[in-house]
Amino acid sequence: MRAIPIFACLALLCGPSVAAETPPVEALLHSEFLFQAGRFDEAFGYYRGRSPVTMSEAERRRGRELAIAVGDTDWLRGLPPEPEADAQADMPEPERLAWQGLLDACADPDAEACRSRLAALDPADFGERYRRSAFDIARRSGDAAQELRWLKTLPQDGGSYYLRIVLLSKAMDDAQAKALMGEIADDSGLNPFQRAVLQGSLSELRRDWAGAERFYREALIEPVPSMTALRLAVVLLRQDRREDAFAQLHAVQEDVRYSDELRREAFLTEIQFRRILDIPFEQGRTTEAIYRRALSIWPQAHGLRYRLAMHLFARGRSPAAMAELEALLVQAPGHFEALNAYGYTLAKELDRPRVALAPVERAYRLAPERAEILDSYGYVLHRLGRNRDALPSLEKAWRLTPSAVTAAHLALVHLQLGDAGQARSYLQQGLQLDADEPELLAVRERLP
């Protein structure tokens, strides 16, 4: 089992959380924040139970990505059919041929021919539907200049402005940021909350922390409990106003007007702040206390309990971590991450591979495409002496996400099968990924 990161990248600190081309609805913004942080199952909560038919095209695109990631086939079956190819029939012949040329050139969106064709077309020749499609192709092609060019031809709303801010964050230009700030300020179609949040995001991008604070406080005057309250904590911390930042987080944690998801996010953000600041006083115990305070409010918050278990493992407190995983699996027997961590620990640390097989095998059946679970399953089979059975899942884990730990497990299996050459090959590949991985170093000692 490879460690599953608690935070892939805390979007609150790595940049503004953004929505797609729809008005910035609070629930959608929060889902997008979770998506940017790599927390796909939680992000899919916005879409779960909603009909894809009622959504915008942008929402359906993101929902499709998340449904595939979490394996929700029922939701995918509810997607409306894609537009028919003959929808171009109402387009004048020159434009139809130009559009078909773009589609042909962009069969591989990463190809230079695709980017060249995007640059050659005039957005004014096409209706809004096709401009949106060209913008989507530009996003997939990775051409930021064309992405911005086509985005600017679409109706500008809260979502469009957010996407422009994201593009600016990839290639910051202060003059463009100032111009966009003025455009947002003059747009009468935005409500005061939208305008203040957008201007706050732009101010953050320009590292104008005091300006961002001013705009976020303006946004919070509106009766819209939103993630802006957490962004405000970030800009307070950026100004080295630690006590104010923590006070802001505590206010969100205790305010029942906010959603449970947002209040829980405030607890996780407090933990992240303390890590960033490296607060020395009993940091591990303080972090545990924050998790336990949150769990006292939401004892059924499976994500929080799982993160607490991972924190305890990291602190070397395996018995306490296993107790949390056991409690979690009573609440949620199908929590595949907990099943995986529990089974792998049984096999690896407690030397009980026979007992470990059932939880790890169940995790594998629930999430057969997760590299860390494939790795655990292969490792447990190896520990049971089933080395040939272990190879397929370990090899698949390596193909999906190569890691030093998986390399070590593959080297062990090949060594047991009598193929020292292949074992040495995986050892060398693993050492290139992490020369200090203990499992690899242990394998190296065993190689002839």
Side-chain angles (χ1 to χ4, degrees), residues 407 410-412 414-415 419-428 443 447:
L410 279 162
L412 277 172
H414 281 291
L415 192 60
D419 191 342
Q422 191 73 317
R424 192 171 289 105
S425 173
Y426 278 113
L427 173 66
Q428 294 306 317
V443 174
L447 277 169

Side-chain angles (χ1 to χ4, degrees), residues 233-248:
V234 171
V235 298
L236 290 169
L237 189 68
R238 293 288 195 182
Q239 297 174 77
D240 202 26
R241 292 161 56 187
R242 301 183 181 192
E243 294 305 317
D244 290 343
F246 283 120
Q248 175 65 20

Side-chain angles (χ1 to χ4, degrees), residues 6 275 307-318 321 349:
I6 295 175
R275 288 176 181 161
R307 288 179 175 85
L308 171 57
M310 295 302 101
H311 168 73
L312 293 170
F313 275 129
R315 301 285 297 176
R317 297 177 56 195
S318 293
E349 294 189 22

Side-chain angles (χ1 to χ4, degrees), residues 346-386:
L346 283 170
K348 177 72 177 171
E349 294 189 22
L350 303 181
D351 195 26
R352 300 175 66 192
R354 292 188 183 280
V355 181
L357 180 60
V360 169
E361 190 169 38
R362 187 168 186 209
Y364 167 71
R365 297 193 185 285
L366 288 167
E369 298 300 316
R370 294 285 290 261
E372 69 277 2
I373 291 175
L374 286 160
D375 175 78
S376 296
Y377 186 47
Y379 175 76
V380 172
L381 291 174
H382 155 70
R383 290 294 311 277
L384 292 172
R386 297 167 56 183

